[in-house]
């Protein structure tokens, strides 16, 4: 699915959070929304998932305006993985089955159960299926929540900081896994992230937010030391390791910070 | 996106798990039927079970048949309807307020309903005491009492929802709000009593002790008309509560209108509480205890938790009422006293258990 966001503005209590946000993501692509804390990344995600209603703008998914669709229709088009879900003593299988809710009439059908089993097989999480999710590690839980989103059979997948509470190995595993799913099922995915290097490695497009506005958007080429300095207020150099650009915080800045800290 | 399924790969383990829950529900259903029959048999005179069943199958005008169908049946049915209704209200409140300590009683909704009903009885003259049976009250206008009880319950519910929405829905906060509401409405009831005649006071006091034995067929019918469709609605929206249990944001992206489900659930829970309180008085803790007991057995999935809690609530109230009828026989203790003895320790346990975490 192709997502086109145009002229999106969101105010909260008169305070401008997002202004004139505009971007586009194609099928098969992962877009990473980047920017410092509090810049409106999660708000943008919540506007796209229609939890928040923007005051202006349009969100077109294959030329359908999400803002004019009903809840159930939206729920069949996109799925959302929150940063932290509530976790009760629910079996992973049941937690994933919940993703079928937009498709369930009176009760679950055999097909729904089989779809849950299919996604469990694809993600190789059969060993988790009969475990309660409140006993799981961060990485395991994240896989279950992604499985719940996928069993919704969406065209667009939204993830709010999917790697924020994971160790390095799990981060790579989840992101590689996402990319595999996006390619295999022709999905479109949008995720917010803090780690630029992970984003460079796994995303196809990048959207840098600054003060609620799009500062830059595009493919990997747009990422330059100047851009990072402007957006994050931090001087960086970009090195190349194994053919991958790697953003390294400027040593001068580090030293300057350390000196000012030790002076206090 | 479309997921291809492999029909040959059945999730055996999960299907077994689902079957086990189904079997438990069926078993519990049988337990309820058995309890129902036993409750009809037990009383100041014991009627053997076969005769109870016979009274149902071929109602004659005879002595036993009269006792079973006209004296004990309304009482037993009241216990079943009220127990199931209060338990369902408890489950649903615990889910939509995301608060394990919620129930009509602990949040003050019962007290508010009682105040509304007392107001209807004293100020609006909807009931008076009967001089033939000194401890019972004749309800002249059950509809007026129910409406006033409902308005009272709604006042409390509105207060709870407002606090939850604009302040905090932390369990401790909600319980304190519940305590405040209960105190406020109890004070209101006391105020009404102060300006009542001695007879009226006696009536109100007796009436606030929950007792399933006072409902007439007409009251019972009204209770059923309100409680049964509400249970149906709750069960119909069971997936929505599961979604809300997973977090408001998740629920929204699963297509659930969280605000509407929450408001409607609270509204219907209040309605159930109001109708039960107006005919039977305050019966505490059934709504709190049944969901907690069942959560330990069937887990948090509302598909099983809701029906299991309803059955447990009905069995608990039936059982408590039987004990209340026998413990100081031939006198009959109001069942509300017993449920309080049963529920209060559990409530304390939950509170202390939580704060220890």
């Amino acid at each position: 699915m192709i997502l086109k966001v145009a002229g999106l503005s969101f105010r909260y209590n008169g305070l401008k959070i997002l202004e004139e946000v505009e971007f586009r993501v194609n099928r098969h692509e992962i877009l990473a929304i980047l920017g410092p804390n509090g810049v409106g990344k999660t708000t943008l995600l919540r506007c796209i998932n229609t939890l928040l209603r923007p005051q202006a703008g349009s969100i077109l998914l294959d030329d359908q305006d999400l803002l004019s669709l009903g809840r159930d229709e939206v729920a069949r088009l996109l799925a959302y993985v929150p940063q932290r879900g509530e976790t009760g003593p629910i079996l992973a299988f049941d937690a994933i089955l919940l993703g079928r809710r937009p498709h369930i009439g009176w009760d679950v059908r055999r097909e729904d159960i089989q779809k849950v089993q299919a996604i469990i097989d694809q993600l190789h999480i059969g060993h988790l299926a009969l475990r309660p999710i409140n006993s799981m590690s961060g990485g395991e839980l994240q896989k279950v929540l992604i499985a719940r989103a996928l069993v919704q059979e969406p065209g667009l997948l939204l993830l709010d900081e999917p790697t924020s509470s994971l160790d390095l190995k799990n981060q790579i595993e989840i992101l590689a896994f996402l990319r595999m799913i996006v390619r295999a099922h022709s999905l479109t995915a949008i995720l917010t992230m803090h780690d630029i290097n992970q984003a460079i490695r796994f995303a196809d497009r990048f959207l840098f937010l600054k003060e609620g506005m799009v500062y830059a958007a595009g493919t990997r080429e747009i990422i330059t030391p100047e851009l990072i300095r402007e957006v994050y207020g931090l001087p960086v150099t970009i090195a190349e390791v194994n053919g991958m650009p790697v953003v390294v915080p400027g040593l001068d800045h580090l030293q300057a910070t350390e000196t000012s800290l030790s002076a206090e | 996106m479309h997921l291809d399924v492999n029909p040959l790969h059945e999730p055996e383990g999960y299907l077994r798990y689902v079957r086990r829950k189904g079997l438990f529900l069926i078993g519990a259903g049988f337990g309820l039927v058995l309890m129902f029959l036993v409750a009809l048999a037990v009383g100041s005179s014991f009627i053997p079970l076969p005769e109870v069943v016979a009274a149902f199958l071929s109602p004659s005008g005879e002595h036993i048949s009269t006792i079973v169908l006209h004296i004990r049946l309304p009482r037993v049915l009241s216990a079943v309807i009220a127990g199931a209704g209060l338990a369902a209200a408890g489950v649903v409140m615990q889910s939509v307020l995301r608060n394990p300590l919620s129930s009509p009683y602990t949040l003050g909704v019962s007290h508010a309903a009682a105040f509304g009903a007392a107001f209807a009885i004293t100020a609006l003259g909807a009931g008076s005491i009967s001089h033939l049976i000194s401890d019972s009250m004749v309800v002249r206008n059950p509809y007026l009492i129910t409406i006033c009880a409902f308005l009272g319950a709604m006042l409390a519910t509105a207060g709870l929802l407002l606090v939850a929405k604009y302040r905090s829905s932390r369990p401790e906060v909600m319980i304190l709000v519940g305590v405040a509401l209960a105190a406020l409405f109890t004070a209101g009831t006391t105020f009404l009593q102060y300006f009542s005649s001695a007879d009226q006071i006696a009536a109100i006091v007796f009436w606030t002790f929950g007792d399933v034995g006072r409902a007439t067929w007409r009251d019972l019918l009204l209770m059923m008309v309100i409680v049964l469709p509400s249970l149906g609605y709750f069960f119909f929206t069971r997936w929505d509560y599961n979604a809300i249990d997973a977090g408001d944001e998740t629920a929204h992206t699963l297509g659930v209108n969280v605000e509407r489900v929450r408001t409607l659930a609270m509204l219907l829970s209040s309605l159930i509480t109001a109708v039960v309180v107006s005919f039977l008085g305050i019966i505490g803790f059934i709504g709190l205890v049944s969901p907690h007991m069942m959560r330990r057995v069937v887990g948090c999935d509302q598909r099983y938790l809701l029906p299991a809690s309803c059955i447990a609530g009905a069995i608990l109230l039936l059982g408590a009422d039987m004990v209340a009828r026998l413990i100081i026989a031939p006198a009959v203790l109001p069942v509300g006293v017993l449920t309080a003895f049963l529920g209060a320790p559990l409530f304390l346990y939950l509170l202390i258990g939580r704060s220890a975490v």
Side-chain angles (χ1 to χ4, degrees), chain B residues 160-227:
Chain B
L160 287 165
L161 283 174
L162 284 175
V163 172
K165 183 163 182 187
Y166 293 106
R167 280 315 217 195
S168 157
S169 59
R170 286 207 345 261
E172 294 78 4
V173 174
M174 297 304 280
I175 291 308
L176 290 178
V177 174
V179 169
L181 285 172
L184 180 69
F185 285 106
T186 307
T189 309
T190 311
F191 180 80
L192 288 176
Q193 288 170 356
Y194 188 77
F195 293 101
S196 305
S197 65
D199 283 353
Q200 276 176 320
I201 292 176
I204 295 175
V205 169
F206 271 110
W207 171 85
T208 46
F209 302 150
D211 185 1
V212 292
R214 63 168 74 114
T216 63
W217 277 108
R218 182 183 60 173
D219 304 344
L220 191 56
L221 202 69
L222 192 58
M223 273 205 295
M224 281 191 195
V225 165
I226 285 177
V227 173

Side-chain angles (χ1 to χ4, degrees), chain B residues 18-33 307-308 311:
Chain B
V18 169
R19 264 196 302 276
R20 260 205 320 270
K21 304 234 157 146
L23 281 177
F24 175 78
L25 282 186
I26 293 171
F30 274 117
L32 177 57
V33 172
I311 294 173

Side-chain angles (χ1 to χ4, degrees), chain B residues 36-210:
Chain B
F36 184 86
L37 293 175
V38 171
L40 286 173
V42 170
S44 46
S45 70
F46 181 78
I47 301 168
L49 277 185
E51 287 183 43
V52 171
V53 177
F56 265 104
L57 296 179
S58 55
S60 57
E62 283 171 39
H63 185 59
I64 288 179
S65 189
T66 310
I67 293 180
V68 170
L69 296 182
H70 297 279
I71 300 176
R72 290 191 190 160
L73 187 58
R75 174 180 202 113
V76 169
L77 267 180
S78 295
V80 170
I81 300 286
L86 290 173
V91 177
V92 168
M93 282 175 156
Q94 286 168 18
S95 170
V96 298
L97 295 177
R98 209 172 305 238
N99 181 340
L101 300 174
S102 305
S103 76
Y105 186 72
T106 48
L107 294 181
V109 177
S110 295
H111 304 82
F115 168 75
F119 182 78
I121 292 164
T122 55
L124 305 179
S128 63
I129 66 154
S130 150
H131 291 282
L132 295 173
I133 316 160
S134 61
D135 67 345
S136 77
M137 186 190 59
V138 174
V139 172
R140 284 210 200 98
N141 189 340
Y143 307 104
L144 185 62
I145 296 183
T146 306
I147 289 167
C148 287
F150 179 60
L151 290 178
M154 279 318 298
L155 263 178
T157 305
L160 287 165
L161 283 174
L162 284 175
V163 172
K165 183 163 182 187
Y166 293 106
R167 280 315 217 195
S168 157
S169 59
R170 286 207 345 261
E172 294 78 4
V173 174
M174 297 304 280
I175 291 308
L176 290 178
V177 174
V179 169
L181 285 172
L184 180 69
F185 285 106
T186 307
T189 309
T190 311
F191 180 80
L192 288 176
Q193 288 170 356
Y194 188 77
F195 293 101
S196 305
S197 65
D199 283 353
Q200 276 176 320
I201 292 176
I204 295 175
V205 169
F206 271 110
W207 171 85
T208 46
F209 302 150

Side-chain angles (χ1 to χ4, degrees), chain B residues 259-282:
Chain B
E259 202 78 351
R260 197 183 66 195
V261 169
R262 180 168 287 146
T263 313
L264 215 59
M266 289 300 288
L267 209 106
L268 285 179
S269 300
S270 306
L271 190 58
I272 290 177
T273 311
V275 75
V276 170
V277 166
S278 44
F279 293 126
L280 307 180
I282 296 181

